[in-house]
C-alpha cells in the first residue's frame, strides 16, 4: 500500500465505494481490502473466461493495481489501535474536488512500491508508447542503482569481458537481422499485387484482445535492450539471426527506416487501399483513431517472404485475436509440404528466383497470396468496408 494521504485535494463519494466495512483498525482494513481485491480480481478473470459472461456487459472489471483504500477513524481517533470505516474504490472511480474527505483520513493506493516500475507498467497497460531512447535511459539509471549495491547486469558483464580481449568472443542473438546485412531482390517486371481474394475479404473481423498488456513482445524486453547495447559497444561481434521481421522492423522506427532505404523508390500505394479510397468505404468498426498514427508511421513495410511467414509466430504468441488465413496461399500457391520445404531451402541457401520457382504463381492465384485483407465484406454482395 502506498500512502497518498495529503497528496491530493480530490476526494471520493463514499457511497460510490466498491466495498465498505466498519469496525476495523487500519492494519485490519489493509488486510481486508487486499483480500477483497484479490477475490474480486480472480472472480472477474473467471467470468471473462466463461461463456455466460461473454454477453454480460454489466460485469465489472476488477483490477487490484491502482485501487484506493480510504480509512476514516471513528471520532478522529489518531491512535494506531483506532477503529473506523474502510472504503475500497477501484482505479476507474472518479475523484471529485467537491467530495472532501474528513481531516485525518488515510488514503492508500495499491501498487508497486518501486515508483519507476509502477509508472512504467501503468503506461504499458494504458497503451502509451515509451520510446526506445527513453526506455534505455531508464535502464541505465536503474543499473546505476544496482551497481551501487554491488550488482552487475549481464550486458555490462559481457561487454567488460569482451573488451578485455582475453577470450575471443562472438555474440549470436535471436534478434532482427539488420538491413545492412541483406540484399533486396527486386523483380523489375513485377506488377503491383491485386486485391485479396473474396474468401479473405469475407473473413470475420478481429476479436478483442484478451491480453492485459498490449505491448507483449515489444522493445521493452531485456533481450532487446541488451542487443542494442551490444550492437553499440561491439558492432563487429554481434550477429542477429531472426529473419521474421526482415523488411518490417516493427520494433522501432530506426530499424524500419533502415529497410526502407534499401528501396530505389518508395513503395506504391496498396491496391486495396486505393480501391477503398475510390469507394470512400466506411470503417467496419468505429474507433477513437488512436491506432491510425501508428499505422501510418510504420507503413508501408518492405515486403519479404521471411516476414510473411514470420507473422504466424507473432500472431500465435502475442496477437491471437488477429484473424489471418494462410490456407488459400498454402493450398493453391504452394500445394504440398514438400514444395514448402524446397521453397525454404532455396530461399535461405540459394536465390530468391530459385525459391519462387517452387511456388505456383499464376496471375489468377495472386489474390490468394495474402493472409488477410484491408477490406471487409460482411456477407456476399455487401458493400466493402475498411477492416480495422
Amino acid at each position: 500500500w502506498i500512502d497518498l494521504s495529503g497528496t491530493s485535494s480530490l476526494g471520493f463519494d463514499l457511497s460510490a465505494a466498491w466495498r465498505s466495512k466498519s469496525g476495523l483498525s487500519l492494519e485490519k482494513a489493509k488486510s481486508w481490502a487486499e483480500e477483497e481485491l484479490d477475490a474480486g480480481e480472480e472472480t472477474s478473470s473467471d467470468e471473462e473466461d466463461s461463456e455466460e459472461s461473454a454477453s454480460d456487459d454489466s460485469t465489472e472489471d476488477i483490477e487490484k493495481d491502482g485501487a484506493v483504500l480510504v480509512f476514516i477513524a471513528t471520532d478522529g481517533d489518531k491512535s494506531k489501535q483506532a477503529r473506523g470505516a474502510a472504503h475500497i474504490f477501484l482505479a476507474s472511480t472518479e475523484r471529485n474536488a467537491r467530495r472532501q474527505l474528513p481531516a485525518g483520513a488515510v488514503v492508500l493506493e495499491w501498487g508497486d512500491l518501486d515508483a519507476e516500475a509502477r509508472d512504467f507498467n501503468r503506461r504499458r497497460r494504458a497503451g502509451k508508447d515509451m520510446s526506445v531512447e527513453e526506455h534505455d535511459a531508464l535502464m541505465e539509471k536503474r543499473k546505476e542503482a544496482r551497481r551501487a549495491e554491488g550488482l552487475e547486469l549481464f550486458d555490462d558483464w559481457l561487454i567488460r569481458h569482451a573488451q578485455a580481449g582475453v577470450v575471443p568472443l562472438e555474440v549470436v542473438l535471436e534478434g532482427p537481422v539488420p538491413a545492412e546485412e541483406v540484399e533486396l531482390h527486386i523483380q523489375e517486371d513485377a506488377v503491383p499485387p491485386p486485391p485479396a481474394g473474396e474468401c479473405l475479404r469475407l473473413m470475420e473481423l478481429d476479436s478483442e484482445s484478451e491480453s492485459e498488456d498490449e505491448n507483449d513482445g515489444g522493445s521493452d524486453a531485456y533481450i532487446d535492450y541488451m542487443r542494442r547495447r551490444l550492437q553499440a559497444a561491439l558492432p563487429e561481434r554481434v550477429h542477429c539471426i531472426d529473419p521474421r521481421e526482415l523488411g518490417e522492423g516493427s520494433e522501432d522506427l530506426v530499424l524500419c527506416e533502415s529497410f526502407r532505404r534499401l528501396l530505389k523508390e518508395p513503395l506504391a500505394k496498396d491496391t486495396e487501399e486505393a480501391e477503398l479510397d475510390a469507394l470512400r468505404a466506411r470503417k467496419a468498426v468505429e474507433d477513437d483513431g488512436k491506432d491510425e498514427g501508428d499505422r501510418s508511421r510504420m507503413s508501408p513495410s518492405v515486403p519479404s517472404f521471411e516476414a510473411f511467414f514470420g507473422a504466424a509466430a507473432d500472431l500465435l504468441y502475442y496477437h491471437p485475436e488477429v484473424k489471418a488465413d494462410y490456407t488459400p496461399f498454402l493450398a493453391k500457391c504452394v500445394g504440398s509440404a514438400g514444395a514448402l520445404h524446397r521453397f525454404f531451402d532455396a530461399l535461405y541457401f540459394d536465390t530468391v528466383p530459385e525459391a519462387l520457382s517452387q511456388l505456383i504463381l499464376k496471375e489468377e492465384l495472386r489474390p490468394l497470396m495474402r493472409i488477410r485483407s484491408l477490406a471487409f465484406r460482411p456477407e456476399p454482395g455487401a458493400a466493402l468496408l475498411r477492416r480495422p
Side-chain angles (χ1 to χ4, degrees):
W1 290 104
I2 305 161
D3 192 351
L4 300 182
S5 303
T7 61
S8 174
S9 61
L10 300 179
F12 289 97
D13 177 2
L14 298 182
S15 65
W18 176 65
R19 296 284 189 274
S20 296
K21 189 172 184 178
S22 300
L24 300 175
S25 66
L26 178 57
E27 291 305 314
K28 290 289 187 182
K30 291 180 183 179
S31 299
W32 165 77
E34 187 174 352
E35 291 172 0
E36 288 290 320
L37 288 166
D38 283 338
E41 198 171 45
E42 183 176 353
T43 301
S44 178
S45 177
D46 290 343
E47 289 178 346
E48 286 179 1
D49 293 338
S50 68
E51 294 182 1
E52 291 77 15
S53 67
S55 60
D56 183 6
D57 295 332
S58 65
T59 302
E60 194 166 17
D61 188 20
I62 310 302
E63 186 174 350
K64 190 176 183 182
D65 184 65
V68 174
L69 169 64
V70 175
F71 177 78
I72 303 173
T74 304
D75 299 327
D77 189 347
K78 296 183 180 181
S79 67
K80 290 185 178 181
Q81 302 303 320
R83 294 182 177 274
H87 308 274
I88 304 173
F89 297 90
L90 300 179
S92 57
T93 306
E94 292 187 10
R95 303 185 68 168
N96 196 317
R98 292 176 295 179
R99 300 285 187 175
Q100 296 295 315
L101 297 174
V106 177
V107 181
L108 305 170
E109 181 184 49
W110 184 268
D112 197 319
L113 295 177
D114 183 326
E116 288 178 336
R118 182 171 68 246
D119 176 65
F120 176 74
N121 286 317
R122 287 181 179 176
R123 284 177 63 174
R124 282 167 55 95
R125 282 195 295 274
K128 297 178 180 178
D129 289 336
M130 174 179 282
S131 69
V132 169
E133 293 76 18
E134 184 182 1
H135 173 271
D136 290 359
L138 177 61
M139 287 290 291
E140 285 299 320
K141 177 183 176 183
R142 293 175 70 81
K143 286 202 299 183
E144 284 293 333
R146 302 292 79 76
R147 291 189 193 104
E149 299 169 354
L151 300 174
E152 183 179 37
L153 264 69
F154 180 66
D155 58 292
D156 290 333
W157 178 88
L158 187 60
I159 291 172
R160 178 165 58 83
H161 282 281
Q163 293 177 338
V166 177
V167 178
L169 184 146
E170 299 290 325
V171 182
V172 179
L173 291 174
E174 185 185 350
V177 177
E180 57 268 20
E181 293 186 11
V182 301
E183 294 181 5
L184 180 65
H185 170 79
I186 299 178
Q187 190 168 329
E188 300 293 348
D189 60 346
V191 297
E198 189 66 14
C199 58
L200 296 172
R201 293 184 164 195
L202 288 167
M203 185 168 60
E204 63 181 309
L205 297 175
D206 299 343
S207 56
E208 292 189 10
S209 173
E210 295 180 359
S211 172
E212 295 180 358
D213 187 352
E214 297 295 336
N215 293 306
D216 290 343
S219 61
D220 46 17
Y222 176 72
I223 187 67
D224 295 312
Y225 165 76
M226 186 176 76
R227 173 178 55 78
R228 293 190 292 271
R229 282 271 290 140
L230 295 176
Q231 286 177 328
L234 311 169
E236 302 300 324
R237 305 193 208 176
V238 180
H239 311 282
C240 296
I241 60 170
D242 187 349
R244 290 177 295 178
E245 289 193 3
L246 270 179
E248 181 182 10
S250 61
E251 176 197 328
D252 58 62
L253 282 172
V254 174
L255 188 57
C256 186
E257 288 297 332
S258 67
F259 284 114
R260 289 181 187 171
R261 286 194 293 271
L262 296 175
L263 297 168
K264 294 181 180 179
E265 55 186 42
L267 290 170
K269 191 173 189 178
D270 189 284
T271 51
E272 283 202 309
E273 189 71 51
E275 179 185 14
L276 292 170
D277 288 346
L279 294 172
R280 297 183 179 180
R282 296 182 294 106
K283 293 180 180 180
V285 177
E286 293 298 328
D287 56 41
D288 55 11
K290 68 178 182 179
D291 292 327
E292 294 301 318
D294 289 341
R295 176 179 293 182
S296 62
R297 183 186 66 176
M298 301 302 293
S299 176
S301 299
V302 179
S304 77
F305 270 111
E306 292 86 353
F308 176 79
F309 285 106
D314 188 61
L315 296 178
L316 290 171
Y317 284 141
Y318 306 122
H319 300 289
E321 76 280 2
V322 174
K323 302 294 189 298
D325 191 356
Y326 285 89
T327 306
F329 170 74
L330 293 174
K332 298 295 185 180
C333 302
V334 178
S336 69
L340 188 63
H341 286 140
R342 292 192 296 273
F343 166 79
F344 276 112
D345 284 344
L347 184 66
Y348 287 111
F349 301 112
D350 295 316
T351 66
V352 173
E354 288 175 289
L356 295 179
S357 70
Q358 303 299 322
L359 303 179
I360 307 169
L361 301 180
K362 297 178 180 179
E363 189 62 30
E364 63 268 24
L365 297 180
R366 292 190 72 199
L368 304 180
M369 294 187 68
R370 298 178 185 248
I371 59 173
R372 57 189 275 125
S373 172
L374 297 177
F376 171 63
R377 199 184 300 279
E379 59 184 11
L384 287 179
L385 304 173
R386 291 182 184 272
R387 189 179 295 271

